[in-house]
Amino acid sequence: YGAIAGNGSSRQQLLQFRAPIHPPDGAIHHLRLVQHRQHAHDRQNHDHYQRNVKNSTINSQYRLDMDYMKQRMEHRVERLQKKCAEYRLNESKHNYKPKAWEYLIQHEYHLVWCNVFKAASTSWMYNFNLMAGYSPQFLRKTKDVPLQLARQKYPRPSVEKLKEAINESISFIIVRHPFERLVSAYKDKIQYALPNSHHHKLGNRIIQKYRKTVNGKPTTLLKYPTFSEFVNYLLDEIKHPHFEIDMHWVPVTHFCTPCFFHYDVIAKFETLEEDQNYLISIGHLDSVIKPQWKNAGKGAHTNDMLMKFFSELDDAQIRGLYDYYRFDFELFGYSAKEYYKN
């Protein structure tokens, strides 16, 4: 399906426009079973029955799925708005103002996205580069950084331009459990940092400052910081407000300032397949992009490593992390209870 035609389309018009119905696989399977039984029972009425099932049951089932997804998104947006008002995060302050820097505006397809790193960002940067006109072949072969390619097509907007675009677009953000996102960033950028890269050098500095010794000997011979050492570094960094925290682990609340902008879709990493299929459907992007998983991560799966890494931390470290990511937990409905030891 092509882009939504016409300039100045309202958000309501965009969201009311729906893609042609594609029944879910489960409904097709159910239809075949029903058809087979009906054929055995009464061949004469089979064609009439098939038409009724095909025209009503499957379509109704799919509409129910879309209705459920619409309600899910409305619930998430309502929670965000409620918590923003509760904590007064929708009010500009001297140290907290709307930031449009990390948003990408896709004018042709009427999409606005805040690129949250370590929350399906590689996959959706690829999608936005496809929509910008880069071919899959070029994107596979190029050595250019995807974000740099994207910024050649999507200049960083002002707050005014962003609000104007949101009013004419489907705006979305993808979020993730703050602790899962932190572990994913640690693994990707610290544990498996590329040699001589910025993050590799940062890891060496963390080791020099935070690695403990016993009788003059280090407690571990790991060549990269342990998760506990990395957390100690981060907790020290956030004590200095003038320091700019790395974009891969800065809270979404600071990175995207979500309380200042409207979202139509709040996708979650934990329900990403359903959420992005819903987004692709209401945005009519089927002919342009397909749900894909890019940069699945290095080493063991993040979920498998979560408790192992957090077992290295004491309660003070965990509470320090929670305090830092508190608004991400609150705004997007996540909990940290299972991570506390006491």
Side-chain angles (χ1 to χ4, degrees):
Y1 316 105
I4 299 171
N7 295 324
S9 301
S10 70
R11 182 186 302 111
Q12 185 176 7
Q13 290 173 319
L14 289 166
L15 294 177
Q16 285 177 346
F17 191 68
R18 288 287 182 264
I21 291 173
H22 300 289
D25 292 340
I28 292 291
H29 176 67
H30 174 71
L31 173 62
R32 288 171 179 161
L33 287 175
V34 171
Q35 287 176 339
H36 176 73
R37 292 167 184 166
Q38 182 69 12
H39 177 76
H41 177 70
D42 189 352
R43 185 169 184 171
Q44 183 178 1
N45 293 329
H46 171 68
D47 290 341
H48 175 72
Y49 179 84
Q50 182 184 20
R51 283 195 299 272
N52 286 343
V53 173
K54 188 173 183 179
N55 292 333
S56 62
T57 306
I58 294 179
N59 291 0
S60 297
Q61 180 64 47
Y62 190 71
R63 280 196 295 271
L64 283 173
D65 289 345
M66 292 297 287
D67 288 343
Y68 170 76
M69 292 303 301
K70 184 173 183 288
Q71 290 172 7
R72 171 189 281 179
M73 295 307 157
E74 289 174 348
H75 174 75
R76 290 176 180 175
V77 171
E78 287 171 4
R79 179 190 176 90
L80 173 65
Q81 293 172 343
K82 177 182 177 182
K83 292 297 181 179
C84 287
E86 180 180 338
Y87 295 112
R88 301 181 68 178
L89 293 172
N90 52 2
E91 302 174 10
S92 291
K93 304 174 182 65
H94 73 282
N95 61 344
Y96 188 70
K97 297 179 180 180
K99 297 177 184 176
W101 189 252
E102 302 301 338
Y103 285 78
L104 288 84
I105 300 173
Q106 222 304 336
H107 291 287
E108 182 180 0
Y109 293 94
H110 297 268
L111 277 182
V112 171
W113 169 51
C114 185
N115 169 34
V116 177
F117 288 94
K118 309 313 300 177
S121 56
T122 303
S123 300
W124 275 92
M125 191 63 68
Y126 177 81
N127 290 337
F128 265 69
N129 278 330
L130 285 179
M131 288 186 283
Y134 295 112
S135 70
Q137 295 79 11
F138 171 79
L139 293 175
R140 278 197 301 269
K141 294 178 180 178
T142 184
K143 301 297 183 183
D144 293 334
V145 176
L147 178 58
Q148 293 176 351
L149 288 174
R151 284 305 177 193
Q152 293 175 23
K153 304 288 186 176
Y154 306 107
R156 296 187 185 274
S158 65
V159 171
E160 292 73 21
K161 289 292 184 182
L162 176 58
K163 288 183 176 180
E164 180 181 319
I166 286 176
N167 195 45
E168 301 175 346
S169 306
I170 295 172
S171 53
F172 75 101
I173 188 172
I174 303 173
V175 297
R176 187 176 188 177
H177 190 289
F179 288 173
E180 289 185 16
R181 179 171 167 253
L182 179 65
V183 167
S184 179
Y186 162 76
K187 286 176 55 188
D188 191 34
K189 298 301 177 183
I190 300 297
Q191 184 177 2
Y192 294 101
L194 296 174
N196 299 317
S197 66
H198 161 72
H199 288 103
H200 181 256
K201 295 174 182 177
L202 172 62
N204 289 336
R205 293 198 299 272
I206 293 174
I207 290 173
Q208 291 173 3
K209 184 172 182 179
Y210 295 98
R211 182 144 297 174
K212 297 178 181 178
T213 59
V214 176
N215 297 325
K217 295 182 179 180
T219 54
T220 177
L221 296 178
L222 287 176
K223 295 183 179 180
Y224 56 84
T226 65
F227 186 63
S228 180
E229 291 167 346
F230 168 69
V231 168
N232 285 336
Y233 153 78
L234 177 58
L235 294 178
D236 278 350
E237 285 289 289
I238 63 181
K239 294 175 183 176
H240 305 282
H242 60 283
F243 286 3
E244 186 170 340
I245 304 300
D246 190 290
M247 59 189 175
H248 294 91
W249 46 78
V250 69
V252 177
T253 310
H254 296 296
F255 197 63
C256 297
T257 57
C259 292
F260 291 107
F261 305 110
H262 175 85
Y263 298 109
D264 299 297
V265 172
I266 298 176
K268 289 192 173 184
F269 194 84
E270 297 78 11
T271 54
L272 186 59
E273 182 176 2
E274 295 173 350
D275 296 347
Q276 69 181 4
N277 281 335
Y278 174 74
L279 174 62
I280 289 170
S281 178
I282 65 172
H284 306 284
L285 306 172
D286 309 56
S287 65
V288 188
I289 61 176
K290 304 294 180 186
Q292 298 190 51
W293 194 261
K294 303 284 183 182
N295 191 26
K298 307 177 183 73
H301 195 278
T302 298
N303 285 342
D304 298 333
M305 301 299 293
L306 266 172
M307 291 307 172
K308 175 185 178 298
F309 283 134
F310 270 80
S311 69
E312 300 177 16
L313 308 183
D314 58 34
D315 278 347
Q317 289 173 302
I318 296 173
R319 291 185 186 281
L321 287 177
Y322 178 80
D323 288 343
Y324 182 51
Y325 291 104
R326 176 191 172 197
F327 291 128
D328 283 8
F329 279 99
E330 290 286 334
L331 299 186
F332 301 111
Y334 289 109
S335 172
K337 289 181 180 179
E338 62 191 284
Y339 293 88
Y340 288 108
K341 298 175 182 179
N342 297 316

